[in-house]
Amino acid sequence: REPLSASMLASALPHVQKQMIGDRLYPLIYALHSELAGKITGMLLEIDNSELLHMLESPESLNAKVEEALIMLQAHQA
Amino acid sequence: GSSVNWPPEFHPGVPWKGLQSI
C-alpha cells in the first residue's frame, strides 16, 4: 500500500482519519506487542494526526511512543 | 475505579469510536 499522506487524510472526516491511521499503525504495534496492540493503538490515536503520520514513517519515533504508552498502561492497571 | 474502559481499544477494520465526543 502507498504511504498515508496528509492530503489523503484531509478528505476524510476526523473519526475516519483516526480509523485510517489506526489501520496502518495497528500492524506495526502488533509486531511489537501483540497482546496489547489494540489498547496501545487506541492510546496513540489520541496524538495529533501530523505526529502520527510521522510515527508511521519513523520506527524510532513509533517505538518511543509505544514504550511511553506501555508505561502509562502498566501504571493505570497497577 | 470506574476507569476500566480506558484506554479505548482499536480493532483493525472496525470503525474507531475513540473520539466520538468530537
Side-chain angles (χ1 to χ4, degrees):
Chain A
R1 286 197 291 186
E2 59 182 313
L4 204 54
S5 69
S7 59
M8 286 166 67
L9 283 182
S11 59
L13 293 169
H15 72 279
V16 178
Q17 293 176 4
K18 294 293 185 183
Q19 175 76 40
M20 292 166 71
I21 295 171
D23 281 338
R24 304 298 181 107
L25 209 50
Y26 182 88
L28 302 176
I29 295 173
Y30 187 87
L32 299 170
H33 299 282
S34 57
E35 288 182 16
L36 295 170
K39 288 177 185 280
I40 294 172
T41 305
M43 291 170 74
L44 295 189
L45 285 178
E46 294 173 8
I47 297 170
D48 283 349
N49 286 355
S50 58
E51 189 172 350
L52 288 168
L53 286 177
H54 172 68
M55 287 159 55
L56 284 172
E57 303 296 322
S58 166
E60 286 176 15
S61 300
L62 178 64
N63 288 347
K65 288 294 181 185
V66 167
E67 289 308 311
E68 277 182 34
L70 267 179
I71 291 168
M72 287 173 62
L73 197 55
Q74 285 163 355
H76 176 74
Q77 289 174 338
Chain B
S2 58
S3 56
V4 290
N5 290 326
W6 185 92
E9 197 163 346
F10 180 88
H11 299 280
V14 177
W16 174 243
K17 295 178 178 174
L19 294 175
Q20 245 177 355
S21 59
I22 287 181

